[in-house]
């Protein structure tokens, strides 16, 4: 049986693809490019988000967010390697120390833990330098970043 109250199906219009986002103005381009560098203080995520969202909307943002992201990847790799080395060295020191040398072992491992913070401090300094340079109208290239993203 057919229901006389049902209405015939009307075809739904096809979904339209999203229009490309408008290009950034020069001021917005400079702003997002500097945010990519300043965001490095927090982690690699701000540079990654800015690169993925704005890379096709502004040439300066594409260039600077790519540079900041390459620096963040380099910094994370150095931090991981340094943490592993510090852990191994600390373990060897504590394994070789007797009860009489605990003070010396504490001093050495304390110094090593401070050294573990150096990559982060270097990252903060270079990220701020990059953000200031780009915000001033220039371009910034980190001195020793592995260029993984071309």
């Amino acid at each position: 049986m057919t229901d006389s109250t049902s209405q015939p199906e009307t075809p739904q219009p096809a979904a339209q693809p999203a229009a490309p986002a408008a290009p950034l103005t020069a001021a917005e381009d400079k702003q997002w490019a500097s945010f990519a560098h300043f965001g490095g203080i927090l982690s690699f995520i701000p540079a990654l988000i800015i690169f993925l969202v704005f890379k096709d909307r502004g040439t300066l943002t594409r260039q600077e967010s790519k540079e900041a992201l390459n620096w963040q990847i380099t910094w994370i790799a150095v931090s991981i390697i340094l943490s592993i080395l510090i852990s191994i060295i600390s373990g060897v020191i504590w394994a070789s120390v007797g009860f009489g040398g605990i003070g010396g072992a504490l001093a050495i491992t304390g110094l090593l833990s401070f050294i573990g913070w150096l990559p982060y401090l270097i990252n903060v300094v270079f990220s701020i330098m990059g953000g200031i340079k780009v915000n001033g109208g220039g371009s910034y290239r980190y001195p020793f970043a592995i260029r993984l993203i071309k």
Side-chain angles (χ1 to χ4, degrees), residues 10-117:
T10 57
Q12 297 293 327
Q16 298 294 324
L24 296 172
T25 64
E28 290 172 334
D29 200 17
K30 183 171 78 168
Q31 177 185 20
W32 284 109
S34 62
F35 284 167
H37 289 286
F38 284 133
I41 295 170
L42 301 174
S43 132
F44 72 96
I45 294 176
L48 177 63
I49 291 171
I50 291 169
F51 178 72
L52 292 175
V53 172
F54 295 106
K55 69 179 178 181
D56 296 328
R57 295 180 59 194
T59 56
L60 182 64
T61 300
R62 177 180 31 253
Q63 171 189 333
E64 296 302 322
S65 63
K66 184 173 24 174
E67 181 67 18
L69 190 55
N70 280 325
W71 165 252
Q72 294 302 317
I73 292 169
T74 303
W75 169 71
I76 288 171
V78 167
S79 295
I80 290 170
I81 291 167
L82 188 61
S83 294
I84 291 169
L85 289 174
I86 288 172
S87 297
I88 291 170
I89 293 169
S90 295
V92 168
I93 289 171
W94 281 103
S96 65
V97 126
F99 285 111
I102 291 178
L106 280 173
I108 292 172
T109 54
L111 178 64
L112 287 174
S113 67
F114 172 73
I115 291 172
W117 280 95

Side-chain angles (χ1 to χ4, degrees), residues 84-149:
I84 291 169
L85 289 174
I86 288 172
S87 297
I88 291 170
I89 293 169
S90 295
V92 168
I93 289 171
W94 281 103
S96 65
V97 126
F99 285 111
I102 291 178
L106 280 173
I108 292 172
T109 54
L111 178 64
L112 287 174
S113 67
F114 172 73
I115 291 172
W117 280 95
L118 284 178
Y120 177 72
L121 296 175
I122 292 168
N123 176 45
V124 167
V125 168
F126 283 135
S127 294
I128 291 172
M129 287 172 51
I132 290 172
K133 177 87 179 213
V134 171
N135 196 36
S139 181
Y140 188 72
R141 189 148 170 101
Y142 291 93
F144 51 90
I146 300 169
R147 310 287 190 262
L148 295 174
I149 300 172

